[in-house]
Amino acid sequence: GAGVSQSPSNKVTEKGKDVELRCDPISGHTALYWYRQSLGQGLEFLIYFQGNSAPDKSGLPSDRFSAERTGGSVSTLTIQRTQQEDSAVYLCASSSTGQSNEKLFFGSGTQLSVL
Amino acid sequence: QQQVKQSPQSLIVQKGGISIINCAYENTAFDYFPWYQQFPGKGPALLIAIRPDVSEKKEGRFTISFNKSAKQFSLHIMDSQPGDSATYFCAASAQGGSEKLVFGKGMKLTVNP
């Protein structure tokens, strides 16, 4: 595809419900990142996938958050039992090989609102 | 603990003026310092980046200045235009580290016509 695609673009859910956010990275990119953008808090790293390696989950804020990447391409971020503090924009990014000095290509994000 | 500290949080400049955004870092292992630009409703996009082996990098109206001893770097936008109005994030990463970028909290720039 032309760029990183995320869906849905907006998600409104009730507290306690589970949500799934999807990311389609640029074709051929082996590295995939999830970040969370909260108002005034910048971009908070959540999880990083690189090829077939075990993901770096060090940024996940709680065990309610999980992510998977199937077939080295599409990724899904799942938030269980959502809380109001989970409201934020969830951004996905991909890069060609995952080297630290590589350009990240971001999607437009999913705006999550937990009522 | 915030690894990259960015200031100011917001800035308003007049068209044609100079916009300056500052960042400071603690981790001396950082060796890649990019700036990302984000427009409303869009994801951040790479604007310009620098490695610590140079003190300055210029691309068009955008210049990064890097001070390794002070562990600081800044973005200068010359001849600021209304189209530059966006949120700017500095970031840093370390080669051979966890390979993920650490971002500052961002600065909202408004350029008035």
Side-chain angles (χ1 to χ4, degrees), chain B:
Chain B
Q1 180 183 359
Q2 190 179 359
Q3 295 194 56
V4 179
K5 295 183 179 181
Q6 188 172 346
S7 64
Q9 289 186 322
S10 62
L11 181 65
I12 300 174
V13 300
Q14 293 299 120
K15 178 182 176 181
I18 301 174
S19 305
I20 302 175
I21 314 167
N22 300 300
C23 276
Y25 64 97
E26 290 297 324
N27 188 348
T28 55
F30 286 151
D31 60 359
Y32 174 66
F33 304 90
W35 285 89
Y36 278 76
Q37 179 189 53
Q38 183 181 32
F39 293 106
K42 302 294 185 183
L46 179 66
L47 185 62
I48 186 173
I50 197 169
R51 301 295 299 268
D53 52 345
V54 296
S55 61
E56 186 175 284
K57 183 175 181 180
K58 182 177 181 179
E59 290 185 1
R61 296 184 294 108
F62 300 91
T63 299
I64 299 180
S65 297
F66 184 80
N67 186 329
K68 188 174 182 178
S69 61
K71 293 187 286 186
Q72 295 177 347
F73 58 108
S74 60
L75 176 69
H76 294 229
I77 306 175
M78 311 299 290
D79 187 26
S80 299
Q81 300 296 310
D84 297 331
S85 297
T87 299
Y88 293 81
F89 294 94
C90 61
S93 65
Q95 187 176 11
S98 58
E99 314 299 345
K100 61 182 186 287
L101 276 175
V102 178
F103 286 86
K105 290 190 174 184
M107 188 215 75
K108 183 177 181 180
L109 173 66
T110 302
V111 182
N112 289 326

Side-chain angles (χ1 to χ4, degrees), chain A residues 33 35 37 40-45 48 56 58-59 89 91 98-109, chain B residues 9 31-32 36 38 41-46 51 87 89 93-96 98-106:
Chain A
Y33 307 76
Y35 283 85
Q37 184 173 16
Q41 295 301 311
L43 295 166
E44 175 190 11
F45 167 77
Y48 162 65
D56 176 355
S58 61
V89 176
L91 290 163
Q99 292 185 34
S100 61
N101 61 352
E102 235 175 24
K103 177 179 178 180
L104 295 189
F105 293 82
F106 282 88
S108 294
Chain B
Q9 289 186 322
D31 60 359
Y32 174 66
Y36 278 76
Q38 183 181 32
K42 302 294 185 183
L46 179 66
R51 301 295 299 268
T87 299
F89 294 94
S93 65
Q95 187 176 11
S98 58
E99 314 299 345
K100 61 182 186 287
L101 276 175
V102 178
F103 286 86
K105 290 190 174 184

